[in-house]
Amino acid sequence: MNSTSSEAISRQHPLPLRPWQAACLQQALQSLTPQTPHFLCQATPGAGKMMLAAVLADELMSRGDIDFVLYLGPTRAVVARAVETLCEVTGLPMHGRLGAAGGAYTYHALNHRLQELKALCQQARVMLIWDESHHAAGRGEDEQDTSNRWGLALLALERHVQYTLALSGTPWRTDGSCLPLLRYVESTQGKPQAHPLPADGESSDEADLTHALVPDFVYSLTEAIRDQVCRLPRLQLIDNPAIQLTAYHPRSGRQETHHYSSIPHLLRHPTMQYSQLLRHSEPMTHLLERSCQQLRALRQQDPDAAGLVVASDIAHAEEIAEYLEDRGETVCLVTSRSPGAHERLSHFRDTKTPWLVAVGMVSEGVDIPRLRVCCYLSHIRTEQRFRQVLGRIIRREGIEDAECYLFALNEPSLRHFARRITDDLPDDLAHVQLASPSSSKPAADIPGNAGDPASGNGGASDLDAQSAQDPGLNPARIPSPHLSLNALPTLGLQVAPDVEFSNQFITRLIALQLSHS
């Protein structure tokens, strides 16, 4: 590998590099050698990882270190965007056919093209870029085989490529398995990206060891906000201080009524599921109304601003799109069932349509910087998914779009993830405040650790009691349609709960406000 020169790094590209991209580029050019052929860039969603990858590929081709670029991504939309960036930076065709300097495929397509790509890598010096690397599961040297199909394909292809560049904002897997090709070290601290060592023959102390991933370069959300690369996320969790659940005993017909001061409190009921709550008309429409209200305010200053609703499934997405259209909103519905879904998504990027409704097609890797509001109605409650969705709205366009907004229900797991995100914010911006729904200004400061499930309070915080005792937040209950939720059997007893909410939800717990100098 040739040594890095300042002239190489200062070469002109269609878009100037951000400082973090230039630093990562220099480090990658210095560290990629036949002895260390793998490089992991961990950068917050929205920071511009694909631009970095394209410039690195261009540098390596210009220096004669590689002949061909192979890109792998999770979806067709992500792959198409990557091809655009690679072509823009290198000025070379990336269609994968005769005469091209590169090719791009989804991970799913990799299995069908593995043999021909192996042959290509044996004939040319290839750089492999694998984006959103957490989709592939590998195995450690002493582990049982936990590889998934994509991980196995990567391992089979890797031995034939010259270099690999892994990109991810969340480089860990929810199932705890390792990512292939990357470097792990033993650690006694549990991390989201950690993978336990085998327990056979180990002592209790040794069993606590984990494999901690070691990225080659890290660019955090804190750095991205301070560098004005990403918007400041204002995460607002919606709750209700007066919830009533009515259940009927199927044998006696006796009606039982329970009162709850918060959504976490309600979710302790054995028959109540979060996925059911998302489809209840009152919390769902309230979240959508709050999101629409916020987007309207943003569009007064920025007519291009748009909002994203992440639904739980296709039927849910269609219901949400119908609701928004009934209230006069223009909606782009993009699901795997939508005709020409990828073309619709690409068209949405360049229009002024205010709302995009999807399930999973835009959860990661999709670059639509005009998205500034997100309504999270997905039943998936993992930190990885939560951060990936947040990444869709934090991509900054200019100096006038410093903030973005995410609305979700005050569910304990989502609250915990929101708390962890505040840990990644600059200290002077990580303010936790309580705001009433009728005002955009904070109503009261809440301690930074209030209501955190880790505190051992089971999800019911002091804020729950405060809300229930404050008559201003507990108005008379108004009639509402009783939605019969599909209940789970409990100890052989079938119940069919109906839930109604007070007519005033509150925005609580996480409302990140810009500090004022």
Side-chain angles (χ1 to χ4, degrees):
M1 183 89 174
N2 297 331
S3 60
T4 305
S5 65
S6 59
E7 291 78 13
I9 295 178
S10 63
R11 293 177 65 247
Q12 296 298 312
H13 294 283
L15 294 176
L17 291 181
R18 295 164 174 163
W20 84 264
Q21 292 169 325
C24 185
L25 174 64
Q26 181 173 5
Q27 185 172 328
L29 289 171
Q30 290 174 341
S31 64
L32 283 173
T33 68
Q35 292 73 37
T36 57
H38 308 305
F39 191 92
L40 168 61
C41 170
Q42 177 184 340
T44 184
K49 293 184 289 294
M50 190 58 225
M51 175 58 68
L52 160 74
V55 174
L56 176 59
D58 188 44
E59 294 286 356
L60 292 175
M61 284 192 292
S62 297
R63 289 170 23 167
D65 293 329
I66 61 171
D67 307 308
F68 196 88
V69 180
L70 177 60
Y71 173 90
L72 297 175
T75 66
R76 287 172 52 196
V78 173
V79 169
R81 192 66 176 167
V83 169
E84 292 178 12
T85 304
L86 285 166
C87 291
E88 178 184 18
V89 171
T90 66
L92 300 172
M94 294 285 167
H95 48 64
R97 298 185 294 274
L98 186 65
Y105 310 94
T106 64
Y107 286 109
H108 179 73
L110 173 60
N111 291 278
H112 305 289
R113 295 178 173 270
L114 187 56
Q115 295 307 316
E116 65 179 88
L117 291 177
K118 279 185 181 179
L120 169 67
C121 294
Q122 291 169 350
Q123 298 170 8
R125 296 167 300 174
V126 175
M127 175 188 178
L128 170 64
I129 302 171
W130 53 301
D131 203 354
E132 307 295 351
S133 53
H134 49 268
H135 283 282
R139 59 178 183 271
E141 296 178 357
D142 301 320
E143 299 175 59
Q144 297 294 323
D145 189 356
T146 58
S147 304
N148 62 8
R149 182 176 58 174
W150 294 347
L152 289 172
L154 276 171
L155 289 168
L157 186 62
E158 174 269 337
R159 68 191 66 179
H160 304 289
V161 303
Q162 187 85 354
Y163 303 116
T164 71
L165 171 65
L167 305 172
S168 182
T170 54
W172 66 82
R173 289 182 55 81
T174 302
D175 62 11
S177 58
C178 287
L179 309 183
L181 313 182
L182 303 181
R183 184 161 52 99
Y184 288 77
V185 297
E186 290 185 355
S187 171
T188 56
Q189 297 181 350
K191 300 287 185 181
Q193 64 268 37
H195 180 70
L197 289 170
D200 294 340
E202 292 180 344
S203 67
S204 58
D205 291 339
E206 291 173 334
D208 291 335
L209 289 174
T210 63
H211 279 162
L213 181 63
V214 182
D216 296 282
F217 190 92
V218 176
Y219 185 63
S220 68
L221 181 57
T222 298
E223 295 170 300
I225 292 173
R226 284 181 171 159
D227 294 345
Q228 298 186 346
V229 170
C230 289
R231 300 170 179 136
L232 171 67
R234 298 175 67 175
L235 313 181
Q236 301 196 24
L237 304 189
I238 306 297
D239 210 326
N240 191 284
I243 306 172
Q244 178 174 292
L245 182 146
T246 303
Y248 298 87
H249 195 289
R251 296 172 184 169
S252 66
R254 182 186 305 172
Q255 176 177 301
E256 298 179 351
T257 300
H258 306 272
H259 298 271
Y260 300 93
S261 61
S262 69
I263 288 174
H265 192 195
L266 171 67
L267 291 174
R268 295 183 208 162
H269 193 283
T271 64
M272 183 54 57
Q273 293 182 326
Y274 175 68
S275 58
Q276 298 169 329
L277 197 59
L278 289 174
R279 297 174 186 273
H280 194 288
S281 61
E282 292 182 70
M284 184 180 78
T285 57
H286 185 81
L287 274 176
L288 291 171
E289 288 291 341
R290 288 301 307 273
S291 301
C292 289
Q293 179 184 1
Q294 184 63 65
L295 183 59
R296 284 196 300 269
L298 291 175
R299 284 173 71 90
Q300 291 179 1
Q301 303 296 327
D302 179 9
D304 291 336
L308 165 68
V309 183
V310 182
S312 291
D313 54 43
I314 293 177
H316 193 207
E318 292 172 344
E319 179 184 357
I320 291 168
E322 183 178 355
Y323 170 82
L324 291 172
E325 289 172 343
D326 286 346
R327 67 186 307 281
E329 300 287 349
T330 305
V331 179
C332 176
L333 175 63
V334 178
T335 70
S336 58
R337 189 185 295 171
S338 305
H342 296 283
E343 291 73 17
R344 290 166 64 87
L345 189 60
S346 179
H347 179 70
F348 176 84
R349 181 185 293 113
D350 301 321
T351 65
K352 294 183 181 294
T353 302
W355 282 103
L356 175 65
V357 178
V359 180
M361 291 187 64
V362 295
S363 63
E364 58 185 343
V366 175
D367 183 10
I368 308 178
R370 69 188 192 92
L371 287 174
R372 293 185 61 184
V373 176
C374 177
C375 183
Y376 192 80
L377 289 170
S378 172
H379 68 279
I380 299 176
R381 289 165 291 165
T382 65
E383 182 169 3
Q384 187 175 83
R385 179 63 173 268
F386 193 68
R387 285 178 178 264
Q388 288 287 348
V389 168
L390 179 63
R392 299 319 99 211
I393 62 173
I394 64 175
R395 298 166 184 262
R396 195 160 179 176
E397 291 185 288
I399 60 173
E400 300 298 330
D401 63 337
E403 303 170 48
C404 60
Y405 301 81
L406 185 145
F407 295 87
L409 291 180
N410 183 28
E411 190 275 336
S413 295
L414 299 184
R415 178 168 62 193
H416 179 60
F417 303 152
R419 285 290 180 193
R420 287 175 57 86
I421 288 173
T422 65
D423 291 340
D424 291 341
L425 297 178
D427 292 339
D428 57 339
L429 298 179
H431 292 176
V432 179
Q433 299 175 326
L434 170 66
S436 69
S438 60
S439 171
S440 61
K441 295 183 179 180
D445 289 343
I446 303 301
N449 60 353
D452 194 320
S455 65
N457 61 10
S461 67
D462 293 339
L463 193 55
D464 298 332
Q466 170 191 334
S467 302
Q469 295 169 5
D470 186 346
L473 296 178
N474 191 12
R477 205 173 279 113
I478 60 173
S480 62
H482 280 205
L483 175 63
S484 180
L485 303 177
N486 296 323
L488 297 177
T490 305
L491 300 178
L493 177 66
Q494 296 285 343
V495 295
D498 292 323
V499 182
E500 68 176 60
F501 300 84
S502 69
N503 66 343
Q504 185 175 10
F505 280 74
I506 63 172
T507 301
R508 70 150 115 206
L509 191 66
I510 308 290
L512 304 179
Q513 305 288 341
L514 283 171
S515 62
H516 299 283
S517 56

